[in-house]
Amino acid sequence: RYDSDENEQKPNIGNDSREKMSSGHSAGLQQAGNFSIAEQDIQKQRRKEAQAMVDRHGMGETIYRDEAGRKVDASQIKPKKSIPQLSEKQQAELNKGRVQKQQEQAHQREWQEIQESSFARYQDDEGLEDARRDVIREGDPMALHAAKTSAKVRAESGTRPQRPVYKGPAPK
C-alpha cells in the first residue's frame, strides 16, 4: 500500500509504444476510458510543471508600459477614469430608444384615459367605436382602401414620411 498518488501503478493502456500528438495524447483511435485516464495524467503533469516554474522563478512582476512602449514605474501610472455606477432604473432608461419611450408614453396616456373614464360603457362611446373601426379584419373589401387612407393620414400628420408609390406598368 502506498500513500502517494505518484507511486501508484497505472493500468497498462497499451499506448506507450504509440506516437504522441502535440497535446500529449496518443495518436489514433482510442477507447473513451483510456482517453480520460490519459487526459487526467496530462493535466496533472502540466500542473506540476507550472508549479515547479513558480517555485523556481517566482510569480514575476507586472511590467507597465506607456503609449510609446517604454517601461514605466507602477507609481507613475495614471488611474483610469472610473465609470459612474448607475442604478438599474437609470440603466434601463438609457437603454431605451426614442420609439420605445414614445410607446411607453402612449401606453401611459391610454391607461390614464381608462382610469378617468367611467366603468360602464355605452353605445355612443366614441373611443371604443374608433378602436373598433381601426381594426382591419380578414376578408374586408375596404381593407385596402382603409390602409391607404390611414397611410395618407399618417403622412400628413408627420409621424412617418410617406414614399411615393410607383403606378406605372409592371416591370418585364
Side-chain angles (χ1 to χ4, degrees), residues 91-161:
Q91 188 67 36
E93 187 66 28
L94 288 175
N95 287 339
K96 287 183 184 176
R98 179 177 47 89
V99 174
Q100 287 174 317
K101 289 178 184 177
Q102 288 173 352
Q103 287 174 345
E104 188 174 299
Q105 288 174 352
H107 188 68
Q108 288 176 352
R109 272 188 255 117
E110 185 179 321
W111 272 106
Q112 187 68 28
E113 289 173 9
I114 290 172
Q115 284 179 337
E116 291 173 358
S117 67
S118 63
F119 185 72
R121 291 199 170 181
Y122 301 100
Q123 286 181 336
D124 59 345
D125 187 358
E126 292 178 18
L128 182 60
E129 190 62 29
D130 289 340
R132 287 181 180 163
R133 282 184 184 160
D134 287 342
V135 174
I136 298 175
R137 293 172 183 81
E138 185 177 343
D140 186 1
M142 292 294 289
L144 183 61
H145 176 70
K148 285 182 182 176
T149 29
S150 66
K152 284 181 184 176
V153 170
R154 270 189 270 130
E156 290 169 4
S157 66
T159 55
R160 191 178 118 206

Side-chain angles (χ1 to χ4, degrees), residues 37-49:
I37 291 171
E39 177 67 23
Q40 290 172 358
D41 292 344
I42 291 168
Q43 292 297 326
K44 191 183 292 186
Q45 184 64 29
R46 287 182 182 162
R47 280 192 292 274
K48 283 182 187 177
E49 290 172 1

